[in-house]
Amino acid sequence: MFEFTFHIPTSIIVGRSCLVKNSLRLREFGKKCLIITGQTSSKLNGSLEDSILALENENIKYVIFDKIEETPTLSTVEKAYRENKEKGIDFILAVGGGSAIDAAKAISILFKHDISKEELLSRKNLKGIPIVAVPTTAGTGSEANPYSILAMPEEGVNKNIGQQVFPVLAFLDARYTLNMTYELTVCTAVDAFSHLAEGYLNTRANLFTDTLAEKGLRLFGECIEPLKNMDCNIDMREKLLLASTIGGMVISHTGTSLPHGMGYPLTYEKNIPHGVANGILYPGYLKVFKKCDKLKRMLSLINVSSVEELSSILQKILPMKPLTLTQEEIRRYVNGLLSNEKKLKNHPEKVSRDDLIKIYKTILTP
Ligand code: NAP
Ligand code: FE
């Protein structure tokens, strides 16, 4: 007997110019909007211009906070709130990659509860003011999941704040992703793939998440040849954006597993972009599976015949820099993962310390 719950509270509107065409939808969230975005990219890819046009069409006043950095810090989140808390903000428009959308989730909670950053992390089940998300990368799926990953320099880690804030509405317009560099396109695409794969090969997977993950994996599979050929046309970008949002929906139910857990220290300590950190761990991670039925199906969905073939594709497309890990670093990272019960539980088989060491040792080298 099947037994599961499935719920995605985010309305999703897809299509070219969908934000401006559907600006009316913004009215229900209030009369004053805080736009949360990064420093540069949204000014160049049309997403900020369209956001302003959509708000002006509906006579919604707005202020802009454009200082979100890559993997935003708690201090930046707090600054965005402090600078704007007296301005009568009703809702947030998060315009950018996962960093802007993740930051917006934490900021929305501060607006709702007026609490300190410590309380943001320690209190449970906090809600936020409404967030409308306009993703401009195709990777994190943050527009359709409740996670908010922030950098915590005091603790020396990037981590999920542990609250559950979904955007209420997301506009998916792949035109905004057109001017991503090839490198950013690949890093974010591999992040999307890893959400789909880790959600599919997951203890908490269910019929609905698998149905979504299978479609998302197929879409990603259709992008492999264009990615290998560096042919990043709008059709491929639309597929990647859909795959990314689907990945977000999947992991909102399943969570991620070993590669995400093992990749975070590589990003934080070795400055390896999130998607690359996941990608270089994949060959080792997939080799650790003892029972292979679902793994084989996952590979066939992306049209790849073996783990070795996937490994050579990742090696070809990922921007690789020399990486060395000392025995001591591997030991520390493995201990970190062994204390991360959630990630271990999501992996459908028992893994040993040796398995994890083996995965770190198989990291692709350039
Ligand atoms: P990002 O950190 O949001 O952006 C990376 C860089 O890409 C920034 O320099 C940004 O510039 C630029 N950029 C964004 N859109 C662009 C475009 N259309 N064209 C050109 N450049 C563009 O990248 P991301 O990979 O989307 O997000 C990564 C963050 O999300 C990390 O903090 C990661 O931990 C987190 N994450 C969250 C989830 C989740 O489930 N919520 C899942 C995975 C990862 P500007 O700063 O100028 O905008
Ligand atoms: Fe991710």
Side-chain angles (χ1 to χ4, degrees):
M1 179 67 194
F2 290 114
E3 201 174 321
F4 61 84
T5 305
F6 187 88
H7 178 60
I8 291 287
T10 309
S11 296
I12 296 170
I13 301 182
V14 183
R16 299 182 195 173
S17 303
C18 59
L19 173 54
V20 174
K21 281 184 191 160
N22 295 281
S23 59
L24 196 62
R25 290 290 303 270
L26 298 174
R27 278 199 200 172
E28 66 188 276
F29 306 116
K31 292 189 167 9
K32 185 111 185 233
C33 172
L34 172 62
I35 299 179
I36 293 292
T37 190
Q39 270 185 355
T40 317
S41 68
S42 63
K43 298 178 182 97
L44 303 177
N45 61 32
S47 57
L48 185 60
E49 196 181 331
D50 280 1
S51 299
I52 291 171
L53 184 59
L55 291 166
E56 287 179 349
N57 281 349
E58 305 307 326
N59 289 319
I60 298 170
K61 298 203 166 30
Y62 63 89
V63 281
I64 301 177
F65 181 87
D66 63 358
K67 300 182 191 74
I68 301 298
E69 67 274 62
E70 287 188 52
T71 310
T73 57
L74 260 180
S75 327
T76 302
V77 160
E78 208 180 27
K79 185 172 155 68
Y81 172 59
R82 259 195 272 109
E83 282 183 12
N84 295 290
K85 67 189 261 191
E86 309 298 345
K87 295 184 184 164
I89 301 297
D90 297 310
F91 71 102
I92 293 175
L93 196 53
V95 186
S99 293
I101 302 173
D102 281 13
K105 293 174 185 175
I107 296 164
S108 82
I109 295 173
L110 298 186
F111 270 98
K112 180 94 179 172
H113 297 280
D114 188 31
I115 51 174
S116 68
K117 53 185 184 188
E118 289 74 25
E119 287 174 288
L120 173 70
L121 301 179
S122 62
R123 285 175 55 180
K124 299 273 171 269
N125 297 320
L126 295 170
K127 300 278 167 278
I129 61 169
I131 301 166
V132 177
V134 183
T136 66
T137 60
T140 70
S142 184
E143 63 279 6
N145 75 38
Y147 308 126
S148 167
I149 293 155
L150 301 183
M152 322 257 166
E154 301 82 15
E155 293 178 51
V157 287
N158 298 338
K159 76 173 187 201
N160 185 9
I161 62 169
Q163 307 294 346
Q164 298 280 312
V165 176
F166 280 89
V168 286
L169 175 61
F171 290 101
L172 307 188
D173 185 343
R175 292 176 313 138
Y176 305 142
T177 67
L178 271 171
N179 62 351
M180 278 198 280
T181 59
Y182 176 71
E183 191 170 316
L184 183 61
T185 304
V186 168
C187 292
T188 47
V190 172
D191 190 24
F193 161 69
S194 58
H195 298 154
L196 292 161
E198 281 161 61
Y200 192 59
L201 304 170
N202 195 299
T203 318
R204 290 154 72 198
N206 64 48
L207 181 77
F208 288 0
T209 61
D210 277 355
T211 304
L212 283 166
E214 287 181 3
K215 184 63 197 176
L217 286 163
R218 273 190 208 284
L219 285 166
F220 175 78
E222 288 168 25
C223 299
I224 290 179
E225 274 311 301
L227 283 174
K228 277 164 65 183
N229 298 329
M230 300 177 89
D231 176 19
C232 302
N233 56 51
I234 184 80
D235 290 343
M236 185 205 75
R237 293 203 180 271
E238 282 176 336
K239 287 179 184 170
L240 274 183
L241 185 55
L242 290 169
S244 163
T245 305
I246 293 173
M249 291 188 215
V250 171
I251 61 166
S252 73
H253 290 80
T254 62
T256 54
S257 70
L258 304 184
H260 268 74
M262 298 176 78
Y264 286 139
L266 301 179
T267 300
Y268 198 84
E269 292 189 20
K270 303 284 175 182
N271 220 7
I272 298 181
H274 177 64
V276 180
N278 293 339
I280 58 179
L281 288 157
Y282 254 74
Y285 156 66
L286 295 178
K287 286 271 184 211
V288 152
F289 279 86
K290 294 162 194 93
K291 204 169 156 284
C292 292
D293 293 355
K294 217 168 172 194
L295 167 60
K296 278 195 197 131
R297 170 117 183 99
M298 190 279 285
L299 291 172
S300 84
L301 287 164
I302 59 172
N303 212 10
V304 164
S305 61
S306 62
V307 174
E308 287 71 24
E309 189 188 346
L310 178 63
S311 169
S312 72
I313 291 166
L314 292 170
Q315 216 150 8
K316 181 174 165 65
I317 63 175
L318 284 172
M320 303 288 296
K321 292 197 186 89
L323 169 71
T324 47
L325 294 178
T326 63
Q327 299 284 1
E328 168 50 24
E329 283 168 334
I330 293 181
R331 195 191 60 80
R332 198 157 42 79
Y333 298 169
V334 166
N335 282 346
L337 194 85
L338 286 172
S339 63
N340 189 338
E341 258 176 48
K342 270 192 188 163
K343 296 273 183 257
L344 287 175
K345 257 195 196 161
N346 288 348
H347 184 71
E349 298 178 352
K350 239 190 149 35
V351 279
S352 64
R353 175 180 291 275
D354 281 351
D355 288 332
L356 299 176
I357 294 174
K358 225 188 273 169
I359 298 176
Y360 273 121
K361 287 195 170 163
T362 57
I363 282 180
L364 305 172
T365 43

